């Protein structure tokens, strides 16, 4: 009775953990969304947009003033020149942009290269679009295994999914790594679909590089980003995709019939976001850097093995030694016994590696993180005894 494609994936484990956290009144370090308010100016802009009657459909591929502002931002920040009329599409979050990109590119059986660990959505994106994912595990230090990457490409490869800064690992891909990927994309005539939603959240002076800014990638990259993470408005569902004209027109067709368009008043408010001064982005990084250190110290104290992420707002941690549970059991145990929710590592891996890991987000108020730290430390004492 049901389609075969829905058998290939489950509902989001990340959102499942959120429901479990609510049930147990646990602190939710599972789902990556802020528990602090969005910028005041942005909230005012959204409220005014509604009162000023921006309440009907915008143009399906996005309000003109927003596309123009996105085009300016992408030129300045990403070094990507995208014509607002024919190369920018506003979507319902970057999640929709990813799915629309895949549906626009993939024929049944086409292969898609995906680095592991990967963001939970890419599996379902592949299943729904009919793609066969080819997972390429990163090395333990998050570097690329060049041989494994090259071996994943073949005549059937249609696309490569990239996510930098990376959710869940926090890896920020370097220029050299992106060059390697670009060379393979050119050699095998492959499109890079690149999810850059955490592009402003970078630590220790790391720089964000968009593979779409490389000359040879201009016509073979779909660059995706959005407003959720940079402006702390994950519930607004405003994202966008940049791609050359032909790719954009294919993606726009899918987008038009999937969603018609993103919420018009919120699109209008996002123009205000893109006009924030540079100091906004500096403050954002400073804030998340403090939270990163807070969570890192808390997890280390509680017996988790972890490394500092280079970007985004997650820590992918090894379950404390001696816990004697896999990721699913340990995640459930933590919610009910410690009162802290995290995401089981297997959501981000096809291999067994994920079973030893949990992902925690630090996109929360300091008070929330401090209370989580207290609970984890207390629970750790219990785990040890
Ligand atoms: N991107 C966020 C995360 O990784 C939210 C994802 C979701 O709701 N599935 O936690």
């Amino acid at each position: 009775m049901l389609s075969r494609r829905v058998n290939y994936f489950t509902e989001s484990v990340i959102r499942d953990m959120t429901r479990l956290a609510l049930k147990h009144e646990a602190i939710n370090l599972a789902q990556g969304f802020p528990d602090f308010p969005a910028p005041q100016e942005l909230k005012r802009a959204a409220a005014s947009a509604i009162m000023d009657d921006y309440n009907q459909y915008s143009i399906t591929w996005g309000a003109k003033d927003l596309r123009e502002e996105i085009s300016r931002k992408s030129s300045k920040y990403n070094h990507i020149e995208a014509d607002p009329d024919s190369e920018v599409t506003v979507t319902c979050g970057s999640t929709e942009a990813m799915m629309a990109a895949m549906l626009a590119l993939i024929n049944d059986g086409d292969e898609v290269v995906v680095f592991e660990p990967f963001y939970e959505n890419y599996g379902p994106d592949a299943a729904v679009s009919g793609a066969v994912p080819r997972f390429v595990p990163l090395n333990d230090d998050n570097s690329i295994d060049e041989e494994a990457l090259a071996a994943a490409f073949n005549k059937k490869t249609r696309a490569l999914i990239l996510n930098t800064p990376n959710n869940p690992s926090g890896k920020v891909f370097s220029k050299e790594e992106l060059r390697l990927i670009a060379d393979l994309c050119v050699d095998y005539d492959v499109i890079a679909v690149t999810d850059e939603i955490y592009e402003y959240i970078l630590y220790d002076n790391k720089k964000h590089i968009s593979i779409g800014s490389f000359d040879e990638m201009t016509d073979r990259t779909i660059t995706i980003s959005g407003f959720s993470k940079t402006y702390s408005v994950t519930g607004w569902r405003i994202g966008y995709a940049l791609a050359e004209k032909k790719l954009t027109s294919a993606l726009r067709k899918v987008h038009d019939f999937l969603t018609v368009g993103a919420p018009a008043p919120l699109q209008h408010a996002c123009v205000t976001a893109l006009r924030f001064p540079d100091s906004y982005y500096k403050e954002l990084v400073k804030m998340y850097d403090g939270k990163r250190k807070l969570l890192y110290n808390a997890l280390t104290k509680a017996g988790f093995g972890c490394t500092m992420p280079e970007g985004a707002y997650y820590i992918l941690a090894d379950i404390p030694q001696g816990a004697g549970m896999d990721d699913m059991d340990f995640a459930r145990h933590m919610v009910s016994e410690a009162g802290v929710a995290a995401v089981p590592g297997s959501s981000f891996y096809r291999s067994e590696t994920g079973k030893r890991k949990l992902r925690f987000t630090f996109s929360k108020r300091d008070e929330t993180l401090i209370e989580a730290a207290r609970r984890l430390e207390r629970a750790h004492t219990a785990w040890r005894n």
Side-chain angles (χ1 to χ4, degrees):
M1 261 206 0
L2 300 174
S3 80
R4 229 171 308 141
R5 72 174 70 83
V6 296
N7 289 329
Y8 292 140
F9 57 96
T10 61
E11 275 186 50
S12 161
V13 177
I14 299 175
R15 288 184 285 279
D16 199 29
M17 288 310 297
T18 288
R19 288 190 287 269
L20 207 59
L22 286 169
K23 187 173 147 201
H24 289 275
E25 292 179 13
I27 295 177
N28 185 359
L29 302 189
Q31 197 173 10
F33 65 90
D35 67 346
F36 46 84
Q40 189 74 8
E41 206 185 328
L42 207 49
K43 292 194 287 190
R44 269 206 208 100
S48 313
I50 289 176
M51 294 318 289
D52 291 345
D53 296 320
Y54 288 91
N55 297 308
Q56 311 308 328
Y57 303 125
S58 65
I59 297 173
T60 175
W61 49 80
K64 190 173 168 57
D65 51 355
L66 179 58
R67 278 182 286 114
E68 284 170 354
E69 214 55 64
I70 290 170
S71 169
R72 261 193 288 278
K73 168 264 174 191
S74 306
S75 170
K76 186 171 154 218
Y77 188 68
N78 306 89
H79 307 292
I80 293 174
E81 303 306 325
D83 172 25
D85 289 329
S86 58
E87 299 180 321
V88 178
T89 309
V90 179
T91 56
C92 294
S94 53
T95 293
E96 192 225 333
M98 283 298 300
M99 187 64 95
M102 295 286 283
L103 288 170
L105 289 177
I106 300 297
N107 284 312
D108 255 356
D110 285 350
E111 293 190 5
V112 174
V113 177
V114 185
F115 290 104
E116 183 191 60
F118 48 82
Y119 176 47
E120 189 194 50
N121 283 33
Y122 307 150
D125 287 343
V128 170
S129 63
V132 177
R134 294 275 299 223
F135 296 102
V136 177
L138 291 173
N139 295 321
D140 285 344
D141 64 354
N142 280 339
S143 60
I144 294 179
D145 178 340
E146 296 189 17
E147 259 174 50
L149 179 62
F153 281 75
N154 63 56
K155 281 209 301 270
K156 286 194 196 155
T157 314
R158 178 73 179 125
L160 169 135
I161 296 179
L162 186 70
N163 173 215
T164 180
N166 187 263
N167 173 9
S169 70
K171 174 183 173 65
V172 175
F173 285 73
S174 70
K175 194 174 221 164
E176 295 67 41
E177 290 173 324
L178 295 174
R179 284 253 168 258
L180 178 79
I181 295 166
D183 286 347
L184 285 162
C185 288
V186 171
D187 287 351
Y188 288 87
D189 195 18
V190 162
I191 307 285
V193 181
T194 160
D195 174 354
E196 305 184 8
I197 187 79
Y198 300 97
E199 62 189 336
Y200 285 103
I201 306 178
L202 300 154
Y203 310 106
D204 308 325
N205 297 318
K206 285 271 170 204
K207 292 271 169 290
H208 176 67
I209 302 167
S210 291
I211 198 169
S213 68
F214 294 176
D215 284 344
E216 69 276 29
M217 293 303 286
T218 310
D219 292 345
R220 56 172 70 255
T221 305
I222 300 179
T223 305
I224 291 168
S225 191
F227 294 83
S228 298
K229 312 293 181 177
T230 307
Y231 305 100
S232 303
V233 287
T234 61
W236 283 17
R237 313 312 302 130
I238 311 280
Y240 56 88
L242 316 171
E244 67 75 48
K245 291 184 182 48
K246 266 205 205 120
L247 287 174
T248 290
S249 93
L251 188 144
R252 282 181 177 181
K253 281 197 273 184
V254 177
H255 159 75
D256 190 7
F257 288 100
L258 270 182
T259 63
V260 182
L266 303 181
Q267 287 194 51
H268 193 70
C270 283
V271 173
T272 299
L274 291 176
R275 292 181 184 156
F276 279 176
D278 290 348
S279 56
Y280 174 80
Y281 304 91
K282 284 210 187 86
E283 284 302 314
L284 181 81
V285 166
K286 207 167 119 201
M287 172 187 74
Y288 275 126
D289 188 31
K291 296 182 188 304
R292 172 178 75 135
K293 289 171 180 153
L294 219 163
L295 182 65
Y296 176 88
N297 290 336
L299 291 176
T300 311
K301 254 198 188 153
F304 289 88
C306 39
T307 47
M308 281 279 197
E310 300 170 327
Y313 50 46
Y314 306 95
I315 294 182
L316 188 59
D318 287 318
I319 293 171
Q321 280 183 355
M325 280 179 260
D326 71 6
D327 62 325
M328 287 290 185
D329 288 344
F330 197 74
R332 279 196 209 103
H333 167 84
M334 259 188 27
V335 176
S336 58
E337 302 308 312
V340 177
V343 183
S346 47
S347 294
F348 311 103
Y349 288 83
R350 183 216 36 180
S351 68
E352 297 288 294
T353 313
K355 293 196 168 164
R356 302 195 305 267
K357 296 182 187 286
L358 289 184
R359 191 202 71 175
F360 295 81
T361 180
F362 50 88
S363 60
K364 305 292 169 189
R365 282 173 295 170
D366 285 359
E367 301 91 275
T368 310
L369 295 170
I370 289 165
E371 174 58 18
R374 200 183 58 78
R375 293 183 184 193
L376 286 172
E377 200 173 350
R378 204 178 45 198
H380 178 229
T381 315
W383 296 325
R384 250 185 329 213
N385 297 332

